[in-house]
Amino acid sequence: MSVASLVPCAVLGLLCLAGDVEAASASTAEGMIAVRGPMPQAARGPAGDSLTTVYEVGGVKVIHRHTSVTDVVAVNLYLLGGARQLSSATAGIEPLLLRASEYGTKTYPEEAARYALAHTGSWITVLTTPDYTRFAFRGIKQEFDSTWAVFADRLMHPALDSAAMSIVRGKMLTEIKRSTESPDAQVAHVADSLAFESHPYAVDVDGSVASISALTADDLRKYAADQMVTSRMLLVVVGDVPRPKLEQAITRTIGTLPRGSYVWTLPAEWTAKEGRVASVYRRIPTNYILGYFGGPLQSGPDYPAFEVATGYLGGVLHDIIREQGLSYAAGAPLLRRGATGGGVYVSTVRPDTVMKIINNVIEFIQKDPLPRSSLIKHAERYSSRYHYSTESNAEQADVLAQAQIYHGDYNAAAEYGAVLRRVSPSDVRRVARRYFKNIQYGYVGDTTRVPKKDMLRK
């Protein structure tokens, strides 16, 4: 029976995107709303976004959407660079620094920092990705000044005393150790180690047991002196905060930090010359397979078609493998980073049979045309998802930031639906042929059943 005869009409008609929600094994902070695809000048509307302005204060680039729809204010500070700022010895240093600042700063010593923030009803979060660290707060406009004071002092003047270091170090070590307990997380770690072996993404931005255990308060202070520079910063604010008020807050705090000489660029693409398999024995009834293939830069001309092709791959795999009772979880994760990638994921008791299906589906997508109607429906899905996912100020801030970071234009996300409509069936076949190969596979389970011959197929 051919693969074409097995593809359900629902997949062709709706272009089911398993890549929209990454497989649990590949889930990361990248799962946030991401801006995707190049934005040709001709696609841009002349009016632009009347609510949003871009300006610079004290060397800090600011994207400011002044909206009075709600009292909620979202403030996101992006420290650019991610894994490329780190080595194996300094992995995890940025979240360790920012999280330790919760337990005391120069102006708010020890518990005062936490009490002052609690009094405002706001909260501060730290989120890491391979391309940046996001240091953010959510609050209400009436408490903006008080929240900003704590937020800025945590960034600029963390106390980093022994108690704070001990508490946060212990929490991070526990998180790292737990991250490999599940087979899903373990297979992701194994696949990552192959796919990013010679790429900056090989460094785990959350750190390792060795790096977190060895880092000292002096290491953190030196890192802060070198890396907390305004040229690394992108500040996105969405809410009812007037520009003069925001400029004043920046000028008297983070705007006084050194400018530095950092220049943000997208990382290099990651590719593999041949397929590889790394397997780990684990006495469990189900076998876990996750393989990654490299993709284009997120700003590159191939990315919109690559996203569609990867989503199509996930939809076909999900339906065929589940319908044949071979797995309860199958799909194609989409890695939404500066240097993108995709993959195949399945947990199954029949790895040999599943791998034959995966190879046949990839070959099918590389050769058979995808209906134009499916591409149009995918573009419509994106537009609906975009409007639904930007209802809150916090979500808008993330969308604006990622558009600016990956495309140099905060309008990019709103325009992506038009870009998708220009993707053709031949574009999908072309990128599938170019990128769906030399897959780097991680395998966790019964290693006597690793179908290596099928997994190493080019």
Side-chain angles (χ1 to χ4, degrees), residues 89-108:
T90 59
I93 194 169
E94 205 153 80
L96 179 57
L97 170 64
L98 295 173
R99 290 174 64 173
S101 69
E102 177 184 353
Y103 297 93
T105 70
K106 180 179 179 181
T107 306
Y108 304 92

Side-chain angles (χ1 to χ4, degrees), residues 191-236:
D192 285 353
S193 67
L194 287 183
F196 308 124
E197 185 177 55
S198 58
H199 192 274
Y201 286 164
V203 178
D204 189 336
V205 292
D206 290 317
S208 64
V209 170
S211 65
I212 297 299
S213 299
L215 288 168
T216 67
D218 285 342
D219 293 330
L220 270 61
R221 292 187 184 99
K222 183 179 185 304
Y223 181 87
D226 294 339
Q227 297 295 330
M228 292 302 172
V229 293
T230 60
S231 53
R232 274 192 71 206
M233 298 178 182
L234 171 66
L235 180 69
V236 183

